[in-house]
Amino acid sequence: MRILSGIQPSGALHLGNYFGMMRPAIELQSQGEAFYFIADWHSMTSLTDPALRRRYTLDVALDFLACGLDPVRTVFFRQSDVPEVAELTWMLSTVTPMGLLERCHSYKDKVAKGLSFNHGLFAYPVLMAADILIYDSNLVPVGRDQKQHVEVTRDIAIKFNELYGPTFVLPEPQIREEVAVVPGTDGQKMSKSYGNTIEIFGEEKVLRKKVMSIVMDSRTPQEPKPDADKNLAIQLLKLVAPADVAADFEARLRAGGLGYGDLKKALFEHYWNYFAPARQRRAELAANLDYVHQVLREGAARARAVAGQVLARARRQAGLD
Ligand code: TYM
């Protein structure tokens, strides 16, 4: 089984990225042949600073390796190091109905907010389809916000297979229900574009402040809270604390007597400890960047070997050979 997923280097990675995609992806490494990549081409639809892109790309590499990606077992690479993907994107775009892309949330959201958008953002799901199809991927672990894109990928693959004969494997999204949408400090989906993120790594003081800024209501500590399971800090605590500890805090909040400040302090401590081993590994990796660059170079070579074969198949089927 081939497992594939990608992540954009468009800012520091946060708990939504980690619990929604990175942790499931890391766990899946033992279940098949995993291909994980840094989607630097995708980041061009929103980020136009070359120095920042370089920095964020390296940051994603450090973050993923620190969190447990095993570069021996898993093929880990940078999207733009596999130019075959760009050629396949063109081929797929010629079988992609406009209506399919016009229905995509990523593009519709920008339009609804009156934001300007470029053709790259509109065509983004076609590039994503090429990312997935070029490695004959079976399973794509993602957060819920990417589900539609995997469905579009299937539609495009089906269309190509109908027109040119069997060419592409149809992928399945894998979405873990309990972390499909990790909430941010304001209760909306945690997202860089909403400014509500808690990063995986960063300065303790800054991150403590972010955790303490999680929005709560104005009920007094003494009041019982029958909706304790909906509390944002409790939801995040369930991700980073042992189950019995999180259950105990939830019970105390429900009964009344636990103040929000104390709850958030406990959340911070558990969150900080949860990532302590990864923080240590990240510091070691950051002191050995040659190794990190080498991992990406070797990953790219392994990825290209597969991409070249699938692209040759697609060319043959389409009469381009
Ligand atoms: P990106 O970089 O926005 O996010 C990376 C992964 O993190 C997940 N995620 C979340 N999951 C749960 N709760 C949240 N609050 C949350 N925020 C982010 C996303 O669902 C995603 O899985 N288009 C992709 C990158 C990509 C890709 C691909 C993914 C490019 N090509 C091919 C899979 C296969 C993206 O922008 O993800």
Side-chain angles (χ1 to χ4, degrees), residues 4-10 13-22 37-39 42 79 124 127-129 131-132 140-147 149-150 153 179-184 188-192 196:
L4 172 128
S5 200
I7 191 158
Q8 287 196 61
S10 50
L13 300 185
H14 52 72
L15 298 185
N17 297 133
Y18 180 75
F19 288 104
M21 181 278 217
M22 295 166 75
F37 66 93
I38 306 169
H42 274 106
Q79 184 183 34
Y124 180 114
L127 176 56
M128 187 157 157
D131 288 330
I132 296 171
V140 185
V142 283
R144 187 173 297 141
D145 59 353
Q146 298 298 322
K147 181 169 187 249
H149 292 151
V150 183
T153 300
V179 285
V181 184
V182 176
Q188 296 185 78
K189 179 189 91 163
M190 189 177 285
S191 166
K192 279 161 260 190
N196 63 0

Side-chain angles (χ1 to χ4, degrees), residues 111-306:
V111 176
K113 287 194 186 116
L115 296 173
S116 69
F117 54 90
N118 47 48
H119 172 255
L121 186 81
F122 182 69
Y124 180 114
V126 188
L127 176 56
M128 187 157 157
D131 288 330
I132 296 171
L133 299 177
I134 207 161
Y135 303 108
D136 281 343
S137 313
N138 306 106
L139 199 66
V140 185
V142 283
R144 187 173 297 141
D145 59 353
Q146 298 298 322
K147 181 169 187 249
Q148 188 185 40
H149 292 151
V150 183
E151 287 163 0
V152 166
T153 300
R154 288 177 62 94
D155 288 346
I156 294 174
I158 289 169
K159 193 72 192 289
F160 195 99
N161 288 351
E162 273 170 13
L163 282 168
Y164 293 117
T167 309
F168 296 119
V169 172
L170 296 189
E172 296 280 348
Q174 195 206 53
I175 298 165
R176 298 252 183 108
E177 266 323 302
E178 69 285 7
V179 285
V181 184
V182 176
T185 53
D186 59 357
Q188 296 185 78
K189 179 189 91 163
M190 189 177 285
S191 166
K192 279 161 260 190
S193 40
Y194 301 153
N196 63 0
T197 54
I198 298 170
E199 282 68 36
I200 308 173
F201 301 109
E203 252 188 71
E204 180 170 358
K205 224 170 134 188
V206 176
L207 291 167
R208 186 187 295 274
K209 210 166 151 197
K210 286 196 176 195
V211 169
M212 295 312 286
S213 77
I214 293 174
V215 175
M216 298 279 132
D217 56 51
S218 55
R219 284 177 287 179
T220 63
Q222 284 70 36
E223 261 179 86
K225 303 184 180 62
D227 54 353
D229 56 321
K230 305 270 176 337
N231 181 282
L232 278 178
I234 292 288
Q235 285 179 44
L236 294 173
L237 192 65
K238 284 180 182 166
L239 298 176
V240 293
D244 56 331
V245 173
D248 182 50
F249 273 98
E250 186 178 335
R252 285 168 59 198
L253 192 68
R254 180 166 306 193
L258 173 66
Y260 289 143
D262 288 340
L263 172 60
K264 287 194 266 189
K265 269 188 209 146
L267 169 62
F268 178 79
E269 296 309 325
H270 282 284
Y271 147 74
W272 196 250
N273 292 336
Y274 183 92
F275 288 107
R279 200 173 301 120
Q280 168 74 27
R281 271 198 303 276
R282 195 182 192 286
E284 288 160 17
L285 288 161
N288 191 2
L289 291 182
D290 285 350
Y291 165 76
V292 177
H293 288 299
Q294 187 198 333
V295 162
L296 293 178
R297 259 197 316 276
E298 285 173 7
R302 289 160 77 190
R304 284 195 81 175
V306 177

